[in-house]
Amino acid sequence: MWWIVGFVVLLIKVAVVLGVLFGFAAGMVLVERKLLGRLQIRYGPNRVGPFGLLQPVADGLKLLLKEDIVPKGADRIIFFFAPAVVALVPLLIAAVVPFSSDLKIGETRIPVLIADLNVGLLFFLAVASLSVYGVALGGWASNSKYSMLGSVRGAAQLISYELSLGLSLVPVVMLAGSFSLVDIVNAQAEYPFILVQPVSFLIFFISSMAESNRLPFDLPEAENELIGGFHTEYSGMRFALYFLGEYISMVVLGALVAVFFLGGWRGPVLPPLAWFLIKTMITPVFFIWTRATLPRVRYDQLMQLGWKILLPLCLVNIIATGGIALLVRS
Amino acid sequence: MGYFREIYEGGASLVEGMKVTFRRLFHPLVTVQYPRKALTLSPAFRGHTELKIFEDTGTHHCIACLTCERMCPSGVIKVEGVKTAPKGPKVASRYEIDFSKCSLCGICVECCPTDTLQFSTEYELVGDNRGEFVIDLLARLRAKGGITAEPVAPDASVKKGDSKKGERAAA
């Protein structure tokens, strides 16, 4: 009997998280366009609804009504499913993110996350590296040279940043003593890890920018030379799925930055959920600000940054953290 | 040491760039919401030509000398005039420009002996066909209230070569 209640609670949680994430992704599109506009001294969208607030609705409607074109010679099955991979990956990652402190209803405590995996961090790293399959397969299945080049770039970019993305989290695990995201948040009860691990934070931040294929590292979709890269041939809702995936992953990466370095839902005065939302929004806003500032890095520059700067820094940081942890604890 | 220096300089320039865009966030917007608001045009703006209104007569000074029509390199201008008095000067009765052929060289404005041509500030020009760009400058002037009386020849029977007869008749 109790498992049915548990199942229903789980379904509700999944529905809420899905709804909130999709809503946030749509909101992020508007926030991005507005903020980019302001940063470039112009209005953003301001025609649809008051202050352009209904712009995401108009965008969604437009994309829904577009013709769904499959290019000649495309691998239809892979072409159809590749965008879903990109949208699915950030949703899966969101399953292990603790959004707030436990919800108390009478005696029972309901944890406000979908699954408290004891290997949550490893789950994140494992699933995050899957998103490149959406890029690589989508580009390959389109039967177009631009898409192909885009997906090849995507795969090569993955190798460059994924290592430092994983290694930058090792000090966090060393400090928290656990792979579970709930334990990591609990370990930051006294101070957020950004204070003791600024280098780690920076590396994770830069790598997650590459992870979400955003501007300084948007080589797979480079509009100028690859005409959109892996999604050149996509149209309508399939393109929208890629788009949605990118924005959800922005929000989810923001949530992860909050969990790993900013103390998750912990904070004074405001309720935990409010703190979590504020901390989550910091990263996407920073991403947009970066997009308004920096040009796309060259291909070899990305490789150099990943292999010659971020990776050695990560390793030095791990050794230093280990040494200091040994000294403090002994 | 070049390695660390590169990292430092790269990071510093990054911060500098971010600062530049951050300052833009508080900069007043430069966008003009055009159809609702419009900028004032520079006095040097060159639209198509138009006839000036002179204060002394309250109308244009075109004497239909056809200098502009002859000087125009693109054959844009068509002028016709009538004599208002038997021995008096001519006055333009038709002044049309085909703006679709005009290159805005301004020769007509420069060569006009009575200085009655100037550049207008008209920039909202849209049309479905070429015919819409044939602009009747006299009609334009009339709409602006620059023409009060239409130039009429004193006697319809007066013809070219008959001017002496006409003069006598008038006297």
Side-chain angles (χ1 to χ4, degrees), chain A residues 207-272:
Chain A
S207 310
S208 59
M209 224 178 264
E211 162 82 31
S212 63
N213 285 335
R214 286 192 59 82
L215 197 74
F217 308 113
D218 69 340
L219 290 154
E221 44 188 285
E223 289 90 350
N224 321 50
E225 69 256 33
L226 294 185
I227 321 166
F230 61 89
H231 57 57
T232 303
E233 303 295 340
Y234 281 88
S235 59
M237 271 324 267
R238 269 175 231 296
F239 169 73
L241 260 180
Y242 270 127
F243 207 62
L244 205 66
E246 188 183 315
Y247 282 86
I248 299 176
S249 92
M250 235 164 107
V251 176
V252 169
L253 285 169
L256 286 170
V257 168
V259 166
F260 291 140
F261 295 101
L262 304 177
W265 42 264
R266 290 177 185 283
V269 189
L270 290 173

Side-chain angles (χ1 to χ4, degrees), chain A residues 58-307:
Chain A
D59 284 348
L61 213 62
K62 186 196 90 177
L63 286 168
L64 265 175
L65 296 174
K66 287 260 171 185
E67 188 186 351
D68 183 24
I69 299 164
V70 182
K72 213 183 225 175
D75 192 326
R76 294 183 74 94
I77 296 172
I78 299 178
F79 187 79
F80 284 170
F81 283 105
V85 176
V86 171
L88 181 73
V89 163
L91 291 175
L92 278 176
I93 296 170
V96 293
V97 176
F99 295 101
S100 174
S101 53
D102 290 356
L103 200 69
K104 282 187 201 115
I105 300 174
E107 285 297 288
T108 50
R109 293 163 67 89
I110 304 170
V112 189
L113 80 168
I114 292 169
D116 180 11
L117 293 184
N118 56 2
V119 287
L121 195 142
L122 294 180
F123 174 80
F124 152 60
L125 289 175
V127 175
S129 54
L130 283 180
S131 74
V132 80
Y133 281 101
V135 173
L137 292 176
W140 180 77
S142 308
N143 190 29
S144 144
K145 49 188 173 295
Y146 296 117
S147 306
M148 186 65 203
L149 280 171
S151 55
V152 168
R153 281 184 180 190
Q157 180 174 324
L158 170 94
I159 305 167
S160 310
Y161 70 76
E162 197 85 331
L163 268 173
S164 39
L165 185 78
L167 286 176
S168 70
L169 291 176
V170 171
V172 172
V173 176
M174 286 159 97
L175 288 173
S178 168
F179 279 123
S180 158
L181 269 63
V182 177
D183 291 344
I184 290 173
V185 172
N186 288 336
Q188 298 177 74
E190 283 161 29
Y191 52 86
F193 284 162
I194 186 175
L195 295 179
V196 282
Q197 287 296 342
V199 178
S200 225
F201 168 74
L202 270 179
I203 293 166
F204 183 77
F205 199 84
I206 294 167
S207 310
S208 59
M209 224 178 264
E211 162 82 31
S212 63
N213 285 335
R214 286 192 59 82
L215 197 74
F217 308 113
D218 69 340
L219 290 154
E221 44 188 285
E223 289 90 350
N224 321 50
E225 69 256 33
L226 294 185
I227 321 166
F230 61 89
H231 57 57
T232 303
E233 303 295 340
Y234 281 88
S235 59
M237 271 324 267
R238 269 175 231 296
F239 169 73
L241 260 180
Y242 270 127
F243 207 62
L244 205 66
E246 188 183 315
Y247 282 86
I248 299 176
S249 92
M250 235 164 107
V251 176
V252 169
L253 285 169
L256 286 170
V257 168
V259 166
F260 291 140
F261 295 101
L262 304 177
W265 42 264
R266 290 177 185 283
V269 189
L270 290 173
L273 198 62
W275 269 114
F276 188 79
L277 286 181
I278 291 168
K279 287 174 179 175
T280 300
M281 290 320 287
I282 291 173
T283 309
V285 167
F286 218 87
F287 277 9
I288 294 164
W289 181 10
T290 322
R291 179 180 168 181
T293 310
L294 300 177
R296 184 178 306 124
V297 294
R298 222 170 46 220
Y299 201 63
D300 57 314
Q301 288 170 328
L302 171 73
M303 295 289 174
Q304 220 163 45
L305 181 73
W307 291 106

Side-chain angles (χ1 to χ4, degrees), chain B residues 70-133:
Chain B
R70 267 181 278 117
M71 294 302 278
C72 181
S74 319
V76 165
I77 304 167
K78 292 277 170 296
V79 189
E80 281 171 15
V82 286
K83 275 182 178 287
T84 48
K87 264 211 157 171
K90 273 183 171 177
V91 172
S93 59
R94 173 167 171 250
Y95 197 115
E96 279 180 7
I97 56 169
D98 182 358
F99 194 52
S100 64
K101 289 193 280 182
C102 178
S103 59
L104 291 165
C105 62
I107 291 175
C108 50
V109 176
E110 274 171 42
C111 74
C112 182
T114 56
D115 269 340
T116 196
L117 283 173
Q118 66 179 10
F119 292 107
S120 69
T121 51
E122 185 66 49
Y123 60 92
E124 286 164 320
L125 294 154
V126 181
D128 294 329
N129 52 59
R130 282 169 155 242
E132 288 181 37
F133 293 100

